[in-house]
């Protein structure tokens, strides 16, 4: 067992409180490889933003759980020693699906875990979430729970099927589980195809009425938004121009996220946008410089573009820049 404090991570308690009081949201950025991790840390250090490094079950499988943990520890050292940055860094399990997975992450030095019981019947979600909270809080690790179902990976169904969070449940859920933050469903969904709309149409607005009702029931409690990529059309077009096939990809408009960030929403999860930028850039290099075969020559520009995206998100969308 290694405690996260020995690795230089913090839990989410303080940064969430500051974010709610200050009317901004902390970014939850996912990583699976070195270049993504570098871009996240550099982008957040350069904008002086707190950051939540997110590791999914799939990321642990892809990159190896031990290597990922040491990479995250190395990222803290890089921030402190090389970038001379003191930004708060949280290491967070994204979409934990079992008690055992949460325990394993906590034992490896994670400072925050999500237990996603949103697909379970209500009482089972409570029981599982409470079990994780009881273990995590022994080590001062933060726990994110979820109520309501986002379409996409949580249901393994198509993107239009979601069940909004019922405001009547949130107070009971939070009290009985002891969670530190709550992910809710108000119209976002995972992936690059969030809404089925025709060209020229705008996506339907998020359900701010539900968010406001939830805020009334649990005033000042940290709320999390998953599925918050905006799917920038310039990168969709770049992908498609260089041989990709991403027709109809559309995300949550950034002004909606900016509005949410000013409320009790204090964490906003973004993964798809990063994937899109990296892929668009690599496709561009492959198309324009077919002679290139050194991975640094295409992963480098991809990393740079991702860093710029992250900086822009922190400054213009989340409002987390200069809040470290
Ligand atoms: O919400 C899920 C994240 O985008 C992680 O996705 O399970 O494919 O790593 P993943
Ligand atoms: P996106 O697919 O919209 O980037 O959502 C990511 C997410 O919610 C990670 O948990
Ligand atoms: Zn998610």
């Amino acid at each position: 067992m290694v405690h996260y404090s020995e690795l230089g991570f913090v839990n989410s308690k303080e940064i969430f409180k500051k974010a709610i009081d200050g009317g901004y949201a902390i970014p939850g950025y996912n990583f699976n490889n070195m270049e993504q991790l570098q871009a996240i840390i550099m982008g957040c250090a350069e904008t002086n933003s707190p950051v939540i490094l997110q590791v999914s079950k799939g990321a642990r499988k892809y990159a190896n759980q031990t290597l990922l943990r040491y990479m995250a520890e190395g990222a803290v050292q890089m921030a402190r020693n090389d970038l001379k940055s003191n930004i708060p860094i949280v290491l967070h399990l994204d979409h934990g699906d079992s008690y055992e997975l949460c325990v394993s992450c906590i034992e490896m030095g994670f400072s925050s875990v999500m237990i996603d019981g949103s697909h379970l019947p209500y009482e089972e979600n409570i029981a599982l979430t409470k079990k994780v909270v009881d273990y995590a809080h022994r080590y001062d690790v933060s726990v994110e729970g979820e109520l309501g179902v986002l379409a996409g990976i949580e249901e393994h169904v198509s993107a239009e099927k979601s069940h909004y969070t019922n405001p009547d449940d949130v107070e009971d859920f939070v009290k009985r589980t002891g969670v530190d933050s709550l992910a809710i469903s108000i119209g976002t969904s995972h992936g690059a195809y969030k809404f089925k709309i025709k060209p020229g149409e705008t996506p339907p607005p998020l359900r701010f009425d539900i968010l406001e009702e939830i805020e009334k029931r649990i005033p000042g409690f940290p709320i999390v938004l998953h599925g918050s990529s905006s799917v920038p059309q310039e990168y969709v077009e770049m992908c498609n121009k260089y041989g990709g096939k991403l027709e109809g990809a559309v995300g949550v408009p950034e002004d909606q996220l900016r509005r949410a960030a000013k409320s009790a929403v204090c964490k906003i999860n973004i993964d798809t946008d990063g994937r899109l930028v990296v892929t668009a850039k690599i496709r561009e290099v492959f198309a324009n410089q077919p002679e290139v075969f050194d991975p640094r020559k295409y992963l480098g520009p991809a990393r740079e573009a991702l860093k710029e995206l992250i900086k822009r998100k922190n400054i213009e969308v989340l409002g987390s820049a200069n809040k470290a």
Side-chain angles (χ1 to χ4, degrees), residues 67-316:
L67 181 57
L68 269 190
R69 171 268 205 237
Y70 281 97
M71 282 168 66
E73 184 182 350
V76 175
Q77 295 305 315
M78 178 178 89
R80 308 296 181 244
N81 302 335
D82 303 309
L83 307 177
K84 307 293 176 209
S85 168
N86 244 332
I87 54 168
I89 302 174
V90 175
L91 182 60
H92 175 78
L93 169 67
D94 191 26
H95 292 285
D97 62 355
S98 69
Y99 172 76
E100 290 73 22
L101 176 58
C102 292
V103 168
S104 163
C105 287
I106 291 167
E107 286 180 342
M108 290 183 97
F110 282 54
S111 58
S112 175
V113 292
M114 175 188 193
I115 179 68
D116 183 355
S118 60
H119 54 286
L120 297 171
Y122 183 68
E123 289 297 330
E124 286 177 40
N125 186 2
I126 288 189
L128 176 61
T129 305
K130 185 176 173 353
K131 193 174 169 192
V132 171
V133 169
D134 287 346
Y135 180 82
H137 282 185
R138 277 189 237 158
Y139 303 99
D140 217 14
V141 168
S142 306
V143 180
E144 177 183 321
E146 179 164 338
L147 262 184
V149 178
L150 273 76
I153 62 158
E154 293 179 34
E155 261 197 331
H156 302 281
V157 293
S158 68
E160 68 259 58
K161 289 209 175 170
S162 64
H163 307 291
Y164 298 124
T165 305
N166 182 353
D168 290 341
D169 293 336
V170 294
E171 195 182 350
D172 182 62
F173 185 84
V174 162
K175 259 200 194 131
R176 287 172 63 196
T177 58
V179 278
D180 303 286
S181 62
L182 182 67
I184 60 165
S185 175
I186 56 165
T188 63
S189 62
H190 291 101
Y193 301 88
K194 300 192 191 298
F195 307 102
K196 271 213 171 88
I197 53 171
K198 298 195 182 78
E201 287 179 357
T202 45
L206 298 180
R207 291 291 302 272
F208 284 97
D209 56 323
I210 297 178
L211 173 60
E212 280 161 23
E213 201 49 52
I214 289 170
E215 285 186 273
K216 274 190 212 151
R217 311 293 178 100
I218 44 173
F221 192 81
I223 302 294
V224 178
L225 276 194
H226 281 247
S228 297
S229 279
S230 295
V231 191
Q233 291 304 298
E234 58 173 306
Y235 288 109
V236 173
E237 281 156 24
M238 201 193 278
C239 277
N240 290 341
K241 179 176 169 191
Y242 296 116
K245 204 166 187 299
L246 295 171
E247 273 94 29
V250 56
V252 182
E254 289 186 340
D255 60 336
Q256 302 264 310
L257 296 168
R258 186 75 202 97
R259 181 177 162 192
K262 288 182 176 151
S263 71
V265 169
C266 62
K267 172 175 178 255
I268 289 188
N269 284 8
I270 298 169
D271 186 5
T272 295
D273 283 355
R275 296 177 178 191
L276 197 57
V277 167
V278 163
T279 302
K281 229 27 206 182
I282 290 173
R283 281 194 176 280
E284 185 185 52
V285 174
F286 282 173
N288 292 340
Q289 299 164 259
E291 72 286 358
V292 161
F293 67 97
D294 178 345
R296 293 172 297 188
K297 298 262 167 53
Y298 51 86
L299 294 177
R303 179 178 63 193
E304 187 59 25
L306 178 55
K307 184 181 88 173
E308 289 310 314
L309 174 96
I310 283 167
K311 286 169 71 173
R312 199 183 62 71
K313 293 266 179 197
N314 292 351
I315 295 167
E316 294 176 13

